[in-house]
Amino acid sequence: MSIPTEPIGSIPRPSALLTAMADHAAGRLGDDDLAAAQDAAVADTLARLESIGSPVLVDGEQSKPSFATYPIAGLDGLAADGAVIPFADGHTRQLPRLTTGPFRYGERAATYLRAARRHTALPVKQAVIAPSALSLLYPADGIAGYPRKAFVDDLVAAAEADIRGCLDAGAHVVQLDFTEGRLSLKLDPSGGLLEQFVALNNQVLERFTDDERARIGVHTCPGGDQDSTHSADVDYAALLPTLFTLRAGNFYVELAGEADPGRVLDLIAAHLPAQARIFVGVTDPIDPAVETPEQVRDRVLEAARRLPAERLGTCDDCGFAPFADDTSTSRDTAFAKIAARVEGTALAAEALGV
């Protein structure tokens, strides 16, 4: 496809997997049976994406507890009372708090990638959590015998290994989920926290070659959990100039859910990073209405009036179920929106003659 199109990551879990997860949590199902249910859900996800013509596949994060916590699930040295992320509808998510060092990943994303690639010969994209999100695990009052600098050094090494493992395992691209970027401006409107996050992420990205960074992207959105957001009221004008200093080859930008997409496109065009490709969101996962291919086409054409077609791609605004217990969007709705994105992007490419 002359205008590339990619999913972001998570897709709602099928009912059989949700039941298996509940039974496992209650002690009624063993680890092996849960793993079998997860693998079946991955296979079904990949098959459905293939059937609607998606040129790039994802495993839908069927086996992850969440997009953010997969590296630390089940690890010791964590307390439950970490940073709280409030959403506009009143619900919250809470990260754990690190209580001891050294910091290590318990699971790496390449494990999910290798499992997915057993089920398909098509390109598979792998999402990973940005190190800036995991930096929130370190408590403000520190950890005795484990200074923050030592934690950051361990975090950077672990994040590099997570990304490199995916590249080595054959990922089509690796996407850093950086939803905390926009949120940081709500927590610190001065932009200082955002600059810290970007500097930390760049410590990792700078460990890769230009060719490797061409296969690494960054996703930004205002959150999308249980049909609510945590930072949609933060102006992109405050985010994009700093965001685009990240040393990445692709940027995946939430756009369909914005009140004024044209204004955001103007901002992107004004701060377009050299050589990077911009994937604009053309479907809104938290809107229950399924976009038509024609609506997607028109959104792509609007973007192409401001951005060079050769630097343009399309994506969904966000994952459809970034936390495993999010059932606010049905699996069928998610696939219908993805199908509209794929078909609408193709219509736009035809209209543009590219």
Side-chain angles (χ1 to χ4, degrees), residues 11-354:
I11 292 173
R13 283 77 173 165
S15 58
L17 177 55
L18 293 172
T19 298
M21 290 164 54
D23 287 345
H24 182 265
R28 296 187 296 268
L29 193 72
D31 292 348
D32 290 346
D33 289 332
L34 175 62
Q38 291 169 332
D39 190 61
V42 168
D44 181 70
T45 298
L46 295 166
R48 291 188 67 170
L49 288 171
E50 285 195 36
S51 72
I52 59 180
S54 182
V56 175
L57 311 184
V58 291
D59 71 352
E61 301 187 339
Q62 304 296 286
S63 303
K64 284 183 180 179
S66 82
F67 78 104
T69 59
Y70 70 88
I72 57 173
L75 289 183
D76 295 328
L78 297 170
D81 57 343
V84 176
I85 301 171
F87 285 77
D89 66 353
H91 87 275
T92 62
R93 295 287 183 177
Q94 187 166 22
L95 295 173
R97 172 177 57 87
L98 191 67
T99 61
T100 187
F103 176 75
R104 299 287 186 269
Y105 279 23
E107 186 72 271
R108 291 184 180 172
T111 302
Y112 305 108
L113 175 63
R114 286 191 290 267
R117 295 192 71 208
R118 291 198 296 266
H119 296 291
T120 184
L122 292 181
V124 180
K125 172 183 183 176
Q126 183 60 53
V128 303
I129 187 61
S132 52
L134 295 177
S135 73
L136 296 171
L137 301 177
Y138 192 85
D141 55 356
I143 298 173
Y146 188 51
R148 183 174 182 84
K149 183 183 184 305
F151 164 73
V152 169
D153 289 345
D154 289 340
L155 173 58
V156 168
E160 178 196 1
D162 200 34
I163 298 168
R164 195 172 297 284
C166 294
L167 294 175
D168 291 346
H172 173 67
V173 291
V174 178
Q175 170 191 292
L176 275 70
D177 287 325
F178 186 44
T179 183
E180 70 279 6
R182 198 164 175 180
L183 177 62
S184 73
L185 289 166
K186 195 165 188 174
L187 302 174
D188 175 17
S190 76
L193 181 58
L194 175 61
E195 291 177 358
Q196 292 176 31
F197 282 168
V198 167
L200 174 59
N201 291 338
N202 271 337
Q203 284 189 57
V204 177
L205 293 170
E206 287 163 359
R207 296 185 173 203
F208 295 89
T209 66
D210 289 343
D211 287 344
E212 289 169 334
R213 284 195 292 267
R215 293 169 57 201
I216 301 173
V218 175
H219 170 234
T220 182
C221 74
D225 180 46
Q226 298 181 12
D227 284 350
S228 187
T229 62
H230 54 52
S231 54
D233 53 340
V234 172
D235 194 333
Y236 262 131
L239 173 68
L240 291 180
T242 302
L243 176 79
F244 286 155
T245 64
L246 284 165
R247 301 287 302 280
N250 304 292
F251 290 89
Y252 304 87
V253 181
E254 178 265 354
L255 185 63
E258 290 296 303
D260 189 352
R263 176 177 176 273
V264 177
L265 287 166
D266 288 338
L267 289 167
I268 294 172
H271 300 284
L272 187 66
Q275 301 181 340
R277 185 182 293 274
I278 306 297
F279 287 76
V280 295
V282 292
T283 58
D284 182 359
I286 67 174
D287 183 349
V290 176
E291 294 82 358
T292 67
E294 291 75 20
Q295 284 176 310
V296 170
R297 175 201 63 199
D298 292 345
R299 289 171 179 175
V300 180
L301 294 178
E302 182 180 12
R305 286 192 286 270
R306 294 169 169 87
L307 304 175
E310 67 273 13
R311 304 274 298 280
L312 183 62
T314 67
C315 60
D316 309 301
D317 270 1
C318 189
F320 289 90
F323 294 88
D325 62 356
D326 184 359
T327 57
S328 58
T329 300
S330 75
R331 191 166 170 85
D332 286 343
T333 295
F335 283 114
K337 284 175 171 280
I338 292 169
R341 170 173 52 76
V342 171
E343 185 177 348
T345 302
L347 291 174
E350 181 180 0
L352 292 168
V354 297

